[in-house]
Amino acid sequence: MVQAETKRGPWHLSARYRLRLRQRNNEADELTDRTEHRGRLSVGYEKKTWQTTTTAELAHTDFEQKSTGWMISQNASATLRNLTLYATVGYFDADDSSSQLYAYERGILYSFSFPAFYDRGIRYAIGAQWDITRHLMLTMKVGTTDYFNRSTIGTGYETIDASSKTDIEVQARIKL
């Protein structure tokens, strides 16, 4: 893995490349080389009350067949006195789960996630944290994933008969 980062004033830039070579059992139960290339380029701008980051990611896997995926995403957040708002949107296109992509997503207090994306679609989420008083805080997040080439999501008991999935998180914190 090779990674480089730089920061100049309010701007920051990071680039990462990872090559992973492994052997796996194939369908004939023989060891076959699995090669995985992953790259990420991220550019961000940060001021005292707001920040934004654009990220492009690429994955290419070669194991029995070649698989490629890419994603471009945008994160932004702003703080206005006792209210913090944040949003993320990402478009992804990956051949299958071997080239799935991961994106950081902020969550409610003490929570975050790196959801995996494959097939073709868009993920967008908005959230807010409101410090009402020193003792009371409300946090919420709403996120949706829309797939362009699927009619169902998930498997087994978690199957959703739709091409989109929405999650909602709400939290209240009371400090005594």
Side-chain angles (χ1 to χ4, degrees):
M1 183 173 102
V2 176
Q3 182 169 328
E5 295 181 25
T6 185
K7 185 170 173 132
R8 187 164 296 234
W11 291 95
H12 62 87
L13 172 69
S14 69
R16 179 179 12 185
Y17 170 75
R18 184 181 75 191
L19 171 63
R20 184 179 281 178
L21 304 170
R22 291 184 172 174
Q23 289 188 325
R24 302 273 184 176
N25 287 339
N26 62 15
E27 292 176 1
D29 205 25
E30 300 168 340
L31 284 178
T32 305
D33 291 335
R34 181 179 191 271
T35 306
E36 180 182 63
H37 301 270
R38 290 194 174 270
R40 177 180 290 168
L41 180 65
S42 179
V43 177
Y45 187 83
E46 186 173 341
K47 283 294 194 180
K48 187 176 182 178
T49 58
W50 64 277
Q51 68 180 27
T52 182
T53 305
T54 304
T55 304
E57 188 170 353
L58 180 67
H60 178 76
T61 307
D62 189 359
F63 174 67
E64 295 180 334
Q65 66 181 20
K66 294 183 184 211
S67 174
T68 303
W70 62 273
M71 179 176 194
I72 187 157
S73 61
Q74 180 71 46
N75 292 312
S77 66
T79 302
L80 312 163
R81 290 191 191 158
N82 57 350
L83 178 66
T84 301
L85 303 171
Y86 55 91
T88 184
V89 63
Y91 178 83
F92 55 92
D93 188 351
D95 295 337
D96 54 35
S97 61
S98 331
S99 59
Q100 67 188 0
L101 303 146
Y102 304 91
Y104 169 79
E105 191 170 288
R106 184 174 170 176
I108 57 176
L109 193 61
Y110 310 120
S111 169
F112 65 92
S113 63
F114 280 93
F117 302 105
Y118 66 94
D119 282 342
R120 191 172 67 246
I122 190 168
R123 169 70 178 178
Y124 43 94
I126 59 169
Q129 178 177 317
W130 183 23
D131 296 318
I132 301 169
T133 68
R134 281 185 21 213
H135 302 287
L136 179 62
M137 182 198 69
L138 292 176
T139 308
M140 61 78 66
K141 179 185 135 190
V142 177
T144 299
T145 306
D146 288 323
Y147 291 95
F148 303 142
N149 57 344
R150 282 197 210 178
S151 57
T152 61
I153 301 171
T155 58
Y157 292 118
E158 295 183 4
T159 300
I160 299 170
D161 290 325
S163 63
S164 68
K165 174 182 164 182
T166 300
D167 48 278
I168 300 170
E169 299 175 29
V170 178
Q171 181 182 48
R173 182 181 72 178
I174 300 171
K175 289 196 297 189
L176 302 174

